[in-house]
Amino acid sequence: MSQSPSLKHKIVVTRNLGPDVMPILEGRTEIDLVVWPEDRACDREWLLRNATGAAALVIMVSDKIDAEVLDAAGPGLRAVSTMSVGYEHVDVQELAKRSIALGYTPDVLTEAVADVCIMLALMAGRNAKQTSALVNEGNWPQFSWAPFLFCGPQLSAPSPSRQRTAGFIGFGRIAKATLARLVPFGFTRCVYGANPHSTRQGSNDDSDKELADRLGLTSVRRVDLDTVASESDVVFVLAPGGPSTYHVVNEEFLRKMKKMGVLVNASRGTLVDSDALAKVLKEGGIWAAGLDVVEGEPNIPADHPLVREPRCVILPHIGSATNETWVDMASLAANNALAAALGEPMPCALRCLPQPATSQVTDGTEVSRDRTIFGFVRQSWISKANKQLPMGNTCCYTLPESAFTSHSPDVQTPDFGALSLHPRGPVSLRANHPNLTPGQRTHHDAVLDHHISQA
Ligand SMILES: O=CC(=O)O
């Protein structure tokens, strides 16, 4: 049966996802697809205008999603789907308040970003910026084979007695994939820390030991940030952005690093204080820095203090930019949006946020406060349902408090501690839909639509 246009689910996409991926959304008769038509970052005004009535938004890191956009979209918005693993550009608390889910794209980019971490460590340590510039400027003849000119610290251990230590701020999937790449370079030790505001203390000795054994390392240790700074030959910054990690790499941290140390940041620019880094580089406090991200990007002018530092290699946030990975990320972002719009569970949703696409119907007893994320009900649906649903059996929906008070192991951020805005406990609804049986997972809007059409 063909659907009338007004019943179609609107998906707004802020950047054309290319010929390999757009067909996932194009040609779906149930979808009203609206795509930003230009080959540049989407204008906010366009997004505000076009978001109206959307069931899902597919967005890029360059799109800021806040209350204004969510207001513009209206109560039908079920999910925001970002083509990224990071989501600092999305106001997750605002999403949580409105029970809007967030789709994102972890895992598929892990290897590509880990590759770039190694590339940046090598480029920064080995003077790639200055040396390639002199070739590009036609100055090779002046510098040919001057002894020690452009020497830098060797990434690989030059001998077994000179062991290398890798340091990480943030120790999630990308950090571990980067660490694995460092083993053939002769790195034998790893120290890692989260951020100074984290409430999580101490190592998980078992998993650290298991990782060390698996990779053939002498040790993997969770330590404080001072130790990460002082013991590491290369410090990799691979933690989520946001207020809790803002400027964790500040002048104090940098001053504790080894003079031959290299700093690599492939996560978010806000974790590193750019002015402090420029100052410490200029004064020789550390050897070099390799950055895929800079605070304030993409508006980094040519006279930015870090751009002017000869041993600061800067890439324009291309950590995940391989053909394979971007197709995978774009496909996942499109599939997340499609699933949410159709009322199905997203293939990859942020676990700390409500999952409005599905809910667990119980027999009326409170679902235990376990880690399940099913069962959270959209506030808009509850009020709509209370008005419109006939009364009958009781369905309870529970809020998993733990989802808001503990951190997802995926994201390792304490920001979610702040998401305690939802512990409003189980919500009871009365409905007499014949298909609502205890334990069943169903889709709110589908049930509601059914009721309305039966009424
Ligand atoms: O930075 C890129 C991402 O978050 O995917």
Side-chain angles (χ1 to χ4, degrees):
M1 198 172 69
S2 72
Q3 216 167 359
S4 81
S6 61
L7 293 180
K8 286 189 174 193
H9 307 286
K10 181 174 176 183
I11 296 182
V12 177
V13 184
T14 64
R15 199 82 191 238
N16 190 305
L17 301 175
D20 290 333
V21 178
M22 287 311 289
I24 293 173
L25 299 172
E26 286 164 350
R28 299 283 309 217
T29 52
E30 348 53 329
I31 298 297
D32 176 17
L33 184 63
V34 179
V35 184
W36 162 248
E38 297 187 37
D39 191 17
R40 61 182 176 88
C42 171
D43 282 346
R44 188 167 172 87
E45 292 65 36
W46 182 92
L47 179 58
L48 289 172
R49 222 176 29 255
N50 285 276
T52 309
L57 307 176
V58 180
I59 59 149
M60 307 292 122
V61 171
S62 45
D63 302 309
K64 186 167 154 46
I65 302 300
D66 53 13
E68 190 184 20
V69 174
L70 302 180
D71 284 344
L77 187 66
R78 291 177 184 157
V80 172
S81 167
T82 182
M83 187 185 144
S84 61
V85 65
Y87 42 83
E88 295 73 23
H89 51 298
V90 178
D91 185 339
V92 286
Q93 299 196 18
E94 201 54 49
L95 253 59
K97 222 191 296 179
R98 300 165 191 236
S99 300
I100 295 168
L102 179 64
Y104 71 142
T105 62
D107 298 318
V108 291
L109 48 60
T110 300
E111 306 304 326
V113 180
D115 288 350
V116 159
C117 287
I118 302 300
M119 180 171 106
L120 283 168
L122 284 164
M123 288 177 76
R126 300 295 298 278
N127 276 306
K129 182 171 177 173
Q130 290 178 91
T131 51
S132 57
L134 79 86
V135 175
N136 294 343
E137 288 155 14
N139 293 328
W140 193 342
Q142 282 109 292
F143 293 96
S144 191
W145 279 108
F148 297 108
L149 189 65
F150 299 125
C151 285
Q154 186 162 316
L155 185 68
S156 55
S159 70
S161 60
R162 289 159 79 179
Q163 297 189 18
R164 292 281 190 254
T165 300
F168 294 91
I169 297 180
F171 202 50
R173 291 160 294 212
I174 298 172
K176 288 178 181 133
T178 302
L179 178 61
R181 282 160 173 72
L182 290 168
V183 175
F185 282 84
F187 278 69
T188 52
R189 291 179 300 229
C190 164
V191 286
Y192 71 91
N195 77 67
H197 314 297
S198 172
T199 50
R200 202 178 132 222
Q201 293 298 328
S203 272
N204 179 345
D205 292 336
D206 286 347
S207 64
D208 290 346
K209 180 160 179 359
E210 190 271 323
L211 182 64
D213 289 348
R214 184 157 51 80
L215 295 179
L217 296 167
T218 316
S219 62
V220 173
R221 288 153 48 224
R222 182 182 167 97
V223 295
D224 58 32
L225 286 187
D226 286 356
T227 309
V228 173
S230 61
E231 290 193 6
S232 306
D233 294 292
V234 187
V235 174
F236 296 91
V237 183
L238 288 168
S244 64
T245 54
Y246 181 74
H247 286 189
V248 283
V249 177
N250 52 19
E251 183 166 347
E252 196 188 336
F253 180 94
L254 293 162
R255 296 270 179 220
K256 290 190 175 119
M257 281 180 65
K258 295 181 180 179
K259 287 238 175 322
M260 281 291 133
V262 172
L263 180 81
V264 170
N265 184 7
S267 51
R268 286 294 182 267
T270 50
L271 279 83
V272 175
D273 179 342
S274 295
D275 292 336
L277 177 58
K279 180 169 174 220
V280 172
L281 278 169
K282 196 178 288 310
E283 294 170 7
I286 66 169
W287 174 259
L291 310 176
D292 188 40
V293 288
V294 178
E295 188 172 9
E297 67 179 63
N299 301 314
I300 305 299
D303 64 352
H304 186 284
L306 287 174
V307 176
R308 296 169 69 92
E309 269 312 302
R311 285 207 292 264
C312 184
V313 173
I314 304 181
L315 303 177
H317 205 151
I318 48 93
S320 58
T322 66
N323 300 331
E324 298 85 348
T325 292
W326 274 18
V327 166
D328 287 351
M329 288 169 72
S331 303
L332 187 48
N335 280 317
N336 274 338
L338 184 63
L342 297 179
E344 293 159 9
M346 286 192 280
C348 195
L350 188 67
R351 282 187 278 147
C352 303
L353 282 181
Q355 309 291 293
T358 59
S359 61
Q360 188 167 20
V361 180
T362 76
D363 61 1
T365 53
E366 182 176 338
V367 179
S368 64
R369 289 181 186 279
D370 62 12
R371 297 194 66 80
T372 180
I373 47 174
F374 291 98
F376 192 80
V377 168
R378 293 168 74 111
Q379 190 60 47
S380 58
W381 187 69
I382 296 168
S383 46
K384 215 164 152 196
N386 281 346
K387 268 192 239 118
Q388 301 191 48
L389 287 186
M391 296 297 145
N393 302 328
T394 298
C395 310
C396 277
Y397 299 76
T398 190
L399 176 75
E401 201 171 336
S402 57
F404 301 101
T405 53
S406 66
H407 310 159
S408 155
D410 272 349
V411 293
Q412 295 193 345
T413 171
D415 290 347
F416 289 95
L419 282 184
S420 52
L421 12 117
H422 279 294
R424 55 188 181 217
V427 176
S428 287
L429 290 181
R430 292 172 99 52
N432 67 353
H433 191 284
N435 295 335
L436 293 186
T437 52
Q440 179 199 354
R441 282 175 185 172
T442 185
H443 176 241
H444 307 136
D445 293 348
V447 174
L448 182 58
D449 288 344
H450 187 89
H451 275 286
I452 293 169
S453 64
Q454 300 286 300

